[in-house]
Amino acid sequence: MAALRLTMGGGNWFSALALGVTLLKCLLIPTYHSTDFEVHRNWLAITHSLPVSQWYYEATSEWTLDYPPFFAWFEYALSHVAKYFDQEMLNVRNLNYSSTRTLLFQRFSVILTDALFVYAVHECCKCIDGKKAGKELTEKPKFILSVLLLWNFGLLIVDHIHFQYNGFLFGLMLLSIARLFQKRHMEGAFLFAVLLHFKHIYLYVAPAYGTYLLRSYCFTANKPDGSVRWNSFSFVRLLSLGLIVFLVSALSLGPFLAMNQLPQVLSRLFPFKRGLCHAYWAPNFWALYNTLDKVLSVLGLELKLLDSNKIPKASMTSGLVQQFQHTVLPSVTPLATLICTLIAILPSVFCLWFKPQGPRGFLRCLILCALSSFLFGWHVHEKAILLAVLPMSLLSVGKAGDASIFLILTTTGHYSLFPLLFTAPELPIKILLMLLFTIYSISSLKTLFRFTSPASVCYFFCLYWILSFKTSRLYVCCEGP
């Protein structure tokens, strides 16, 4: 403990935090891993064993390659290291293959690529205003932000237990945000364009990037009232941004366009046949919509208003990824979810354009775009909540109001990730880690802003936990005989 205090006192506190969370990740190596572990092993095999022309056609496994080309090339690069660990993991026909060496390689590949996330957090800390910094190190906004990001509960369990590569992807996003805060707009645009071609879920926040770059970079001046000065438009800057997007897209999609495979790639990236909701429902609007439809169908059967023979066979709560028709309420199409999402994000985009508030205004718009897409998007994964939680961490250390919102968002969002870890050995781990992160978030932000948590927040937490418990029981009852 004394050594840790000495390290922090010497200015190396950030390195100590990064090293500490890395050691924790190593301790999580033997824990449960989901089917995503096999998904990425299969992608290693596909990219290593087959020519590029077959990557997006290969379907030996049900876990086909459905990420953009940059991620496929990332798997290809990893596969050339993986062959020194266990050559058998690179056999396309070795479905559900697992070995100790395979486990170690895949776990350590996530841990090592998190170095980009650590660097991005370090850059984000440079963008934080230190006016509220206390005398103690642990009361400084930069220290609190570093803990909230590096030790984020959701990212830890999703990447290092459940298994995915979100760390370095969020690293790209946070680094692009930091560059925009630093007025390095071209770098920020480039990083985000690259990110989109690694994982297309970040399209959720693309409206915020596009609006902000057009308003604050392509228009170089404002009127005294803050409105845009139209004659300040720079065509050269717009052309520069367009060139960045074009070159990155050409590098990513160009080879597949040359092979006339672009439609096949897009069909893999946007598989609308997977259904409205993921196997584990994200706690969004469509979960409530499905629940209401299920309740109405049960009541309809009890009251003899519905014919049981005409009820769709596909079940919304069976845990399978599939298409289904709603029984009572109108069935939802991908176009309907797109329209709902666009309507939800329009207010934040309009505000960013007409009432620009600099990079912080952009960050607020980004978070609202992420939340709107989470609430109304098609086939939303519960893990997508991290797209709002992590950027919200940057705002939480700036204002007390944002800190309160962050506490509600992070607690509810992280709790919604619990179904990802359903095995008994991980139960105490997820509960302990979330309690530690939540307690630290509340105590550190309370100390930073010297505020007492309002009673409404406490009431909200109690109501949320009660409703979560009741809703989970309702799902079980609705699915019963």
Side-chain angles (χ1 to χ4, degrees):
M1 191 68 182
L4 181 60
R5 289 181 179 274
L6 182 62
T7 299
M8 290 187 170
N12 295 323
W13 56 267
F14 186 85
S15 299
L17 288 175
L19 178 60
V21 75
T22 301
L23 294 176
L24 174 61
K25 293 170 185 177
C26 292
L27 292 176
L28 297 176
I29 287 177
T31 55
Y32 153 84
H33 55 78
S34 71
T35 53
D36 280 332
F37 184 87
E38 169 61 14
V39 170
H40 289 282
R41 185 214 61 80
N42 184 55
W43 292 359
L44 286 173
I46 289 174
T47 55
H48 185 84
S49 307
L50 301 176
V52 178
S53 60
Q54 296 181 31
W55 285 1
Y56 286 93
Y57 284 93
E58 166 59 34
T60 301
S61 168
E62 62 180 311
W63 312 118
T64 53
L65 180 59
D66 58 5
Y67 273 24
F70 277 179
F71 200 94
W73 288 110
F74 167 74
E75 295 279 7
Y76 174 78
L78 286 180
S79 71
H80 286 279
V81 181
K83 65 183 180 182
Y84 295 108
F85 282 75
D86 188 348
Q87 187 71 33
E88 289 302 310
M89 80 171 83
L90 303 176
N91 186 338
V92 175
R93 301 198 176 277
N94 271 354
L95 301 183
N96 299 311
Y97 179 80
S98 182
S99 67
T100 302
R101 292 185 178 184
T102 302
L103 174 67
L104 290 175
F105 170 76
Q106 298 218 149
R107 288 294 197 192
F108 277 117
S109 67
V110 179
I111 294 172
L112 292 176
T113 53
D114 274 358
L116 179 58
F117 181 75
V118 173
Y119 173 70
V121 173
H122 186 267
E123 290 298 300
C124 285
C125 287
K126 294 180 180 179
C127 306
I128 298 303
D129 187 3
K131 292 180 180 179
K132 300 183 182 65
K135 296 181 180 180
E136 297 292 331
L137 171 65
T138 54
E139 296 180 8
K140 296 181 181 296
K142 292 184 179 181
F143 180 87
I144 295 172
L145 177 62
S146 298
V147 176
L148 295 180
L149 288 173
L150 292 176
W151 290 76
N152 179 269
F153 164 76
L155 198 56
L156 278 174
I157 67 167
V158 169
D159 274 15
H160 302 282
I161 300 180
H162 181 266
F163 191 86
Q164 276 192 344
Y165 288 93
N166 292 295
F168 89 92
L169 296 173
F170 276 115
L172 281 172
M173 189 181 79
L174 291 179
L175 190 57
S176 71
I177 292 173
R179 293 298 180 247
L180 294 183
F181 268 78
Q182 297 163 0
K183 307 299 182 184
R184 296 156 67 174
H185 298 90
M186 295 291 285
E187 289 182 46
F190 171 75
L191 289 168
F192 183 68
V194 170
L195 177 61
L196 284 179
H197 288 276
F198 266 102
K199 192 170 182 179
H200 50 305
I201 193 177
Y202 293 94
L203 281 170
Y204 287 173
V205 299
Y209 274 90
T211 304
Y212 177 73
L213 289 170
L214 181 62
R215 179 66 175 81
S216 300
Y217 181 67
C218 295
F219 287 94
T220 58
N222 295 325
K223 294 180 181 179
D225 61 358
S227 60
V228 63
R229 190 181 295 277
W230 293 100
N231 60 2
S232 69
F233 177 73
S234 172
F235 181 76
V236 174
R237 291 190 173 189
L238 178 64
L239 187 63
S240 300
L241 290 175
L243 187 61
I244 285 176
V245 174
F246 173 77
L247 290 178
V248 172
S249 300
L251 183 61
S252 171
L253 300 174
F256 300 95
L257 182 63
M259 294 184 290
N260 294 319
Q261 293 186 3
L262 189 57
Q264 174 64 20
V265 174
L266 294 178
S267 69
R268 285 285 182 87
L269 299 185
F270 302 98
F272 293 115
K273 292 183 179 180
R274 288 187 176 180
L276 175 63
C277 294
H278 190 247
Y280 291 111
W281 294 359
N284 61 7
F285 177 81
W286 304 121
L288 297 176
Y289 189 87
N290 290 345
T291 302
L292 178 60
D293 183 75
K294 190 70 175 180
V295 171
L296 291 176
S297 66
V298 171
L299 290 176
L301 290 173
E302 290 292 331
L303 298 174
K304 308 299 182 183
L305 298 176
L306 295 176
D307 185 355
S308 59
N309 295 323
K310 295 182 179 180
I311 300 265
K313 299 300 181 183
S315 171
M316 295 178 294
T317 54
S318 62
L320 300 176
V321 177
Q322 57 184 331
Q323 284 186 303
F324 59 84
Q325 298 295 317
H326 290 88
T327 305
V328 179
L329 300 177
S331 293
V332 181
T333 64
L335 179 59
T337 63
L338 176 61
I339 293 173
C340 291
T341 302
L342 291 177
I343 292 174
I345 69 174
L346 279 179
S348 59
V349 171
F350 283 159
C351 186
L352 183 61
W353 179 269
F354 292 107
K355 296 182 179 180
Q357 299 175 10
R360 290 191 175 275
F362 154 73
L363 191 55
R364 293 180 189 280
C365 181
L366 181 149
I367 294 166
L368 289 171
C369 285
L371 288 174
S372 298
S373 300
F374 181 82
L375 285 174
F376 298 106
W378 177 268
H379 197 74
V380 175
H381 291 235
E382 58 283 283
K383 300 180 284 290
I385 193 62
L386 295 178
L387 198 55
V389 169
L390 290 173
M392 190 67 204
S393 303
L394 277 71
L395 292 180
S396 69
V397 296
K399 293 183 178 179
D402 291 331
S404 297
I405 295 172
F406 170 78
L407 292 176
I408 295 174
L409 176 64
T410 192
T411 303
T412 56
H414 286 165
Y415 178 70
S416 72
L417 297 174
F418 268 35
L420 292 176
L421 308 182
F422 51 83
T423 52
E426 280 66 45
L427 180 62
I429 295 176
K430 67 182 183 182
I431 293 176
L432 178 61
L433 286 178
M434 181 171 175
L435 281 177
L436 289 174
F437 182 82
T438 304
I439 291 171
Y440 174 80
S441 300
I442 294 173
S443 61
S444 61
L445 293 175
K446 182 178 178 180
T447 301
L448 178 62
F449 296 107
R450 303 293 194 272
F451 68 84
T452 302
S453 300
S456 59
V457 175
C458 298
Y459 293 149
F460 175 84
F461 280 126
C462 293
L463 180 62
Y464 176 78
W465 286 92
I466 293 171
L467 287 178
S468 298
F469 177 73
K470 295 294 185 183
T471 304
S472 63
R473 289 181 61 87
L474 177 62
Y475 291 162
V476 174
C477 293
C478 288
E479 202 58 21

